[in-house]
Amino acid sequence: MATAHSRAAARLTMAPAVVLLLGWMLIPLSMTLYFSFQRYNLLMPGDEAWIGFLNYEYFLTDPAFFAALWNTLLLVGGVLVITIAGGTALALLLDQPFWGRGVVRLLVIAPFFVMPTVSALVWKNMFMNPVNGLFASLAKGLGLPPVDFLAQIPLASIIVIVAWQWLPFATLILLTALQSLDSERLEAAEMDGAGPLDRFIHIILPHLARAMTVVTLIQTIFLLSVFAEILVTTNGGPGTATTNITFLVYAQSLLQFDVGGGSAGGIVAVILANLVAIFLMRMIGRNLDI
Amino acid sequence: MGEIVLKGVTKSFGAVSVIPPLDLTIANGEFVVFVGPSGCGKSTLLRLIAGLEDVSSGVIEIDGKDATAIPPAHRGLAMVFQSYALYPHMTVRNNIAFPLKMARLDKATIDRKVEAAAGVLNLTPYLDRRPGQLSGGQRQRVAIGRAIVREPAAFLFDEPLSNLDAALRVNMRIEISELHSSLATTMIYVTHDQVEAMTMADKIVVLNAGRIEQVGSPLELYSRPRNRFVAGFIGSPRMNFIDGTAAGEDGAATIGVRPEHLALSTTGGRWCGTVTVSEHLGSDTFVYVQADGVGTLVARAGGEFPVHHGDRVWLTPQPGKLHRFDAEGMAIAGTGQDRAGAAAAVGASNPRGSE
Amino acid sequence: MARAVSTRRKLVVTVVAWTVGLLIFFPILWTALTSFKTEAEAIASPPSFLAFDWTLANYAEVQSRSDYFRHFLNSVIISVGSTLIGLLVAVPAAWSMAFVPGRRTKDVLMWMLSTKMLPPVGVLIPIYLLFRDAGLLDSRIGLVIVLTLINLPIIVWMLFTYFREIPAEILEAARMDGADFKSEILHVLLPMAVPGIASTLLLNVILAWNEAFWTLNLSASQSAPLTAFIAGYSSPEGLFYAKLSAASTMAVAPILILGWFSQKQLVRGLTFGAVK
């Protein structure tokens, strides 16, 4: 519903954003695609050559790739489980009336605003350090041997750090969804004889399902690209114990200067992310009525 | 000045045709009401005149100039929207002044015009409030104020009273009519409410599915509807329609008679039936009658007409007030007065004879 | 109708909720407290919670040793700059999507969102090489460009969801009142959308401030924002807890406060309107 005049204006006003994003997507992505078929190492200039799928072959058969794939899955899955379960519990708690709700809400969402490098370093040094960390002090106080978290259970430690950062996000979204639940529906269920657990399973959980899906999809997009937390805590180690796909590609391209191999890894990462993105886009697209 | 001429105007959204070719002339100073059921294309027609939508084909002339391609800002028209569309972040004063600022008038002129408009519309005490702090009627007045300061060639009203409560609607109706009398500017008013159309218009345009069914003065539409649609749309309660043999007696496929033109009798008449409901409104009584072999008819009787559920009554159309329609629903020339009168006479004699 | 809740129950919930809230917040609180300790007190075992000699020496030392303010300035320039440029590009685009939607509008919106899902490593090498050749490595302009582009879809989406709540009739009224395109946007749309634009701005400053993939990979010393500044404390300085805490507190505090202000809009912005 508009005039030709306003439609022309619409095309014109949309153009800058579209052109910028198109450029941002197409130019580097096609370059990555091109590099991925090249022998191209920054340390060996002049040695570039077309080598077909060889980079992919190397990348996909490298044991480090499988380790990284597995680590990525564990990292994403672990954080999702912790944040969604914890977020639901927190949302239910924060939805109750109590004194100081506003303040507690602020406390709970705070970790989301902490930059990844800070939270990784604080956790690594001040909490998980086996000598001076707070957990070590705590263990000592209880007469237990201190644990060197990032050496003994490195991936689990990183999962905890990342989950701490994302718990507020899940909580906030689930809380918002919870508050949109019509209380009459709960009262009706109560009148029908449903106890608290029944109400949670049959009324609250189905109501939260949509928000949980949104949380899962959006977090997955971000969690696939976790980088800074790994860089400043373990640097992907020990060995490849905490190397995810993102970190592997980074190491291959910017530490080993293997542009071809890194590009092949980048394309693999794009494909993996797209698998998730398709679901997310469907979700959001369905709610978008223009 | 404010003559608006539509020549062969059409509008379609994609493959859906909303307005088939349409011609209409609106004379300078006229109060024209577009009326029709929802979805009839009346608002679209108004938006085409405003320039908020492009015509798919055809020409719109304003004061003799082709305005088809002119953007809304430069057509010299002012519009009052259904939601009033006030600027919530501006005071009443700035809302009314906005079109003048856009026209780059100097501040003194703007102030003078705003004060004058506020005076006319009784808004002076509210000039420094924001729309959110006003009542529905006051917001409506601000919207009108914003329109009149521009001194437009014509005012366009898009269902302006539909968000007001019943009492306020009557007041605003009168105010807008008075405004039209004092400004003598062309006004085009869109509504689905035939009462608004009847009470305000110089000329009513009845629209149905994008087509003009009839154009005429309120009384013309009331007394000489061109077809069944107009006959049924204008007037409240709506006209009674009778098909079948009863209509055949008058040489028509359908006959129509308004409730106020049906004479009620407890003794005799053309149609006999049983009262199902009688609504006593004080001034009038509306009697719903299940007439034998004819169907449900509504008749208006005097304020204290003593009938009740289950009573037997007789109904007779007043001479000359019967409308006849052919099988396509078009009015048949002549009111059917002679035949109706004759038939009524026959009908009236029969029951009496059977007593 | 909210039901009356017994005081006893409310008291129990209060205690539980505060405990959980404080536990989640504890790492931040502990960092803030440690930043006021001496290095010796910072690693004391058992640690002291409040009973220590409060000092500001760490802050002074962090500033003098690694020039906090330069990094802070870089963070401000990069996050605010990229957000403002993003808004400049996004406001007209969101206007057209919200008020002149066509058949392709939805596709364009979804496509914009899809660019946000491109994993950064997929384009790391080309961007790195392009920036190297264009001399944009370790420059604030380069980081502003990248962060503008990665946050542009979010900005467009957030503005779009806010604009859509403004009735189109008001913009049409402005058009009838003689407003041209510029006046329609400047005098009518933007003033009405101020709250939405403000929260868009806030959230995107936060996202850009905390962005740590591109800022770490494309900056060295000149353009390094606070994310990189902190990464510099990775080792061995990280073992100086008090100084690490002071640096961390200074990196986080400004944005945490902004974040608390924008928390109401956070959900909507981060879920692209899917949860409100």
Side-chain angles (χ1 to χ4, degrees):
Chain A
M1 296 266 281
T3 64
H5 188 253
S6 61
R7 262 192 293 275
R11 269 193 293 276
L12 210 64
T13 50
M14 202 131 72
V18 170
V19 169
L20 281 177
L21 283 174
L22 205 62
W24 168 245
M25 195 153 104
L26 284 186
I27 298 170
L29 206 56
S30 47
M31 283 172 76
T32 307
L33 199 62
Y34 173 74
F35 292 152
S36 71
F37 295 110
Q38 295 271 315
R39 179 169 65 228
Y40 184 3
N41 193 307
L42 290 178
L43 296 180
M44 291 175 273
D47 196 29
E48 292 84 18
W50 179 269
I51 53 166
F53 282 92
L54 208 58
N55 283 323
Y56 288 93
E57 219 177 299
Y58 280 135
F59 188 81
L60 293 174
T61 54
D62 184 353
F65 167 70
F66 289 101
L69 190 62
W70 182 237
N71 289 336
T72 306
L73 289 180
L74 279 180
L75 179 62
V76 173
V79 174
L80 281 178
V81 168
I82 296 175
T83 52
I84 289 183
T88 307
L90 269 171
L92 287 171
L93 180 66
L94 295 182
D95 196 35
Q96 313 282 321
F98 62 87
W99 288 289
R101 239 167 113 174
V103 181
V104 172
R105 203 178 132 108
L106 290 183
L107 295 181
V108 168
I109 64 167
F112 187 75
F113 302 114
V114 176
M115 57 178 66
T117 42
V118 166
S119 68
L121 275 185
V122 164
W123 277 94
K124 173 192 178 187
N125 293 317
M126 294 171 57
F127 287 87
M128 294 176 168
N129 185 292
V131 182
N132 296 320
L134 208 58
F135 290 153
S137 299
L138 213 62
K140 215 185 295 172
L142 295 170
L144 298 168
V147 179
D148 187 354
F149 291 91
L150 285 162
Q152 287 166 280
I153 43 165
L155 193 59
S157 305
I158 288 178
I159 289 174
V160 168
I161 297 172
V162 177
W164 177 75
Q165 289 178 288
W166 284 96
L167 183 62
F169 174 77
T171 306
L172 212 51
I173 286 174
L174 292 169
L175 182 60
T176 308
L178 199 58
Q179 283 165 346
S180 73
L181 176 62
D182 183 6
S183 68
E184 277 188 7
R185 226 189 301 168
L186 285 176
E187 286 169 351
E190 203 176 341
M191 295 299 288
D192 289 341
L197 190 66
D198 292 320
R199 291 203 296 269
F200 177 71
I201 291 172
H202 296 292
I203 310 282
I204 296 176
L205 265 190
H207 179 78
L208 291 182
R210 220 178 81 84
M212 283 183 180
T213 319
V214 172
V215 170
T216 306
L217 294 170
I218 289 175
Q219 283 198 21
T220 305
I221 295 295
F222 283 95
L223 295 176
L224 283 174
S225 302
V226 164
F227 171 75
E229 291 85 340
I230 297 172
L231 180 76
V232 299
T233 52
T234 61
N235 237 317
T240 54
T242 55
T243 299
N244 63 357
I245 300 273
T246 298
F247 198 86
L248 184 67
V249 175
Y250 155 82
Q252 189 119 26
S253 21
L254 292 193
L255 298 183
Q256 297 165 27
F257 302 102
D258 178 5
V259 172
S263 295
I267 295 296
V268 170
V270 169
I271 292 168
L272 288 177
N274 273 331
L275 294 180
V276 183
I278 288 167
F279 287 105
L280 179 58
M281 307 274 288
R282 285 231 180 109
M283 274 293 293
I284 293 173
R286 212 174 302 144
N287 298 313
L288 181 70
D289 43 302
I290 297 180
Chain B
M1 286 293 281
E3 188 198 42
I4 296 171
V5 180
L6 310 186
K7 292 180 183 166
V9 166
T10 69
K11 177 66 182 174
S12 39
F13 293 115
V16 185
S17 169
V18 186
I19 293 177
L22 179 149
D23 298 285
L24 182 67
T25 302
I26 294 162
N28 184 30
E30 246 181 340
F31 196 120
V32 177
V33 174
F34 294 171
V35 68
S38 59
C40 71
K42 55 191 189 295
S43 282
T44 306
L45 192 57
L46 192 74
R47 291 168 61 84
L48 291 176
I49 295 171
L52 293 171
E53 301 280 349
D54 286 336
V55 297
S56 300
S57 67
V59 173
I60 295 174
E61 286 178 3
I62 298 174
D63 286 334
K65 280 194 311 246
D66 183 354
T68 318
I70 298 178
H74 300 119
R75 292 194 181 190
L77 307 175
M79 185 149 164
V80 175
F81 289 84
Q82 183 170 6
S83 65
Y84 319 138
L86 301 181
Y87 310 122
H89 56 289
M90 298 182 195
T91 58
V92 170
R93 183 189 303 280
N94 286 333
N95 261 283
I96 298 176
F98 186 75
L100 303 174
K101 283 181 184 159
M102 290 298 110
R104 309 270 185 278
L105 295 188
D106 62 280
K107 198 175 173 319
T109 314
I110 292 178
D111 286 345
R112 188 167 45 76
K113 291 192 175 209
V114 171
E115 297 287 347
V120 171
L121 294 163
N122 296 324
L123 285 170
T124 311
Y126 309 108
L127 275 176
D128 294 314
R129 297 210 190 157
R130 286 181 192 247
Q133 299 162 294
L134 301 180
S135 70
Q138 289 164 340
R139 284 181 211 183
Q140 177 71 78
R141 277 200 204 92
V142 176
I144 293 172
R146 200 170 64 184
I148 62 175
V149 287
R150 297 187 64 195
E151 297 167 17
F155 291 96
L156 311 179
F157 292 91
D158 187 6
E159 307 225 11
L161 305 186
S162 58
N163 287 339
L164 299 177
D165 63 46
L168 210 49
R169 211 177 300 169
V170 174
N171 285 341
M172 286 307 300
R173 215 160 71 193
I174 294 166
E175 280 189 38
I176 293 175
S177 290
E178 282 173 351
L179 195 68
H180 179 243
S181 312
S182 62
L183 295 174
T185 307
T186 311
M187 290 189 175
I188 305 177
Y189 187 106
V190 163
T191 182
H192 62 271
D193 181 351
Q194 57 95 20
V195 176
E196 280 177 25
M198 293 295 283
T199 51
M200 301 169 84
D202 294 325
K203 185 156 95 184
I204 297 179
V205 178
V206 181
L207 288 158
N208 183 31
R211 278 191 323 277
I212 294 183
E213 296 284 351
Q214 189 169 0
V215 180
S217 71
L219 285 180
E220 225 174 299
L221 298 191
Y222 177 79
S223 51
R224 288 192 299 283
R226 217 160 61 88
N227 56 33
R228 210 185 135 154
F229 178 83
V230 176
F233 197 79
I234 301 290
S236 172
R238 76 193 285 266
M239 186 183 276
N240 296 296
F241 290 106
I242 302 160
D243 304 314
T245 46
E249 290 166 16
D250 289 301
T254 307
I255 53 172
V257 56
R258 298 192 185 280
E260 54 270 41
H261 298 147
L262 268 179
L264 266 169
S265 163
T266 51
T267 52
R270 180 171 172 185
W271 299 302
C272 181
T274 309
V275 174
T276 52
V277 177
S278 68
E279 295 177 333
H280 297 277
L281 301 180
S283 58
D284 297 307
T285 303
F286 292 111
V287 184
Y288 293 76
V289 180
Q290 183 64 43
D292 307 338
V294 173
T296 303
L297 298 176
V298 185
R300 192 181 78 182
E304 282 156 36
F305 192 78
V307 287
H308 299 97
H309 176 79
D311 291 354
R312 295 288 285 175
V313 292
W314 280 266
L315 299 163
T316 310
Q318 285 174 17
K321 301 290 189 186
L322 196 73
H323 301 271
R324 300 187 300 145
F325 304 98
D326 63 20
E328 274 78 54
M330 298 305 291
I332 298 170
T335 57
Q337 180 177 356
D338 305 336
R339 292 174 195 240
V346 173
S349 64
N350 278 347
R352 227 173 263 147
S354 66
E355 267 177 352
Chain C
M1 281 293 290
R3 220 177 318 184
V5 175
S6 73
T7 311
R8 216 181 97 90
R9 186 187 151 93
K10 198 169 169 181
L11 199 69
V12 173
V13 176
T14 304
V15 171
V16 174
W18 273 91
T19 310
V20 173
L22 284 171
L23 269 178
I24 291 173
F25 187 69
F26 184 75
I28 299 171
L29 181 67
W30 189 245
T31 307
L33 287 175
T34 306
S35 71
F36 296 107
K37 296 177 180 175
T38 62
E39 290 296 351
E41 281 166 329
I43 56 169
S45 183
S48 60
F49 196 66
L50 290 171
F52 55 83
D53 295 325
W54 292 64
T55 170
L56 285 172
N58 300 307
Y59 287 91
E61 185 150 357
V62 166
Q63 167 56 24
S64 69
R65 191 190 287 183
S66 45
D67 201 355
Y68 167 79
F69 281 111
R70 191 164 55 82
H71 297 94
F72 173 80
L73 203 63
N74 282 338
S75 272
V76 171
I77 290 170
I78 292 164
S79 58
V80 175
S82 67
T83 303
L84 288 181
I85 296 174
L87 277 174
L88 214 61
V89 176
V91 165
W95 167 83
S96 68
M97 288 166 174
F99 298 113
V100 200
R103 258 167 305 157
R104 301 205 179 284
T105 303
K106 185 172 173 173
D107 297 335
V108 173
L109 269 167
M110 295 314 290
W111 166 75
M112 285 193 172
L113 190 56
S114 75
T115 66
K116 181 72 199 155
M117 303 185 182
L118 190 68
V121 281
V123 293
L124 171 63
I125 295 163
I127 295 294
Y128 187 86
L129 296 177
L130 287 172
F131 272 40
R132 185 194 62 186
D133 297 343
L136 288 173
L137 279 183
D138 196 20
S139 74
R140 288 180 215 160
I141 297 173
L143 285 175
V144 167
I145 292 172
V146 169
L147 292 190
T148 301
L149 288 168
I150 64 168
N151 283 337
L152 189 56
I154 297 190
I155 301 182
V156 171
W157 263 86
M158 284 186 75
L159 289 178
F160 168 75
T161 61
Y162 286 113
F163 284 0
R164 248 161 48 112
E165 285 171 13
I166 294 173
E169 275 197 349
I170 292 187
L171 298 191
E172 289 177 349
R175 244 170 275 166
M176 291 297 293
D177 283 345
D180 55 17
F181 181 68
K182 203 183 91 196
S183 308
E184 179 184 328
I185 301 255
L186 283 184
H187 296 300
V188 181
L189 177 63
L190 290 187
M192 287 180 69
V194 161
I197 291 174
S199 50
T200 306
L201 187 123
L202 226 49
L203 180 63
N204 280 280
V205 166
I206 293 168
L207 289 178
W209 185 278
N210 287 342
E211 202 291 323
F213 181 83
W214 293 107
T215 50
L216 288 179
N217 278 314
L218 297 179
S219 74
S221 55
Q222 287 309 309
S223 68
L226 289 169
T227 43
F229 158 82
I230 289 297
Y233 278 77
S234 176
S235 61
E237 289 96 331
L239 295 174
F240 296 99
Y241 289 1
K243 276 184 276 299
L244 169 67
S245 297
S248 297
T249 306
M250 285 197 282
V252 169
I255 220 65
L256 180 59
I257 290 161
L258 270 190
W260 276 338
F261 277 115
S262 72
Q263 55 143 336
K264 290 236 163 66
Q265 272 66 43
L266 201 65
V267 172
R268 180 170 166 158
L270 285 172
T271 58
F272 304 99
V275 174
K276 269 187 207 167

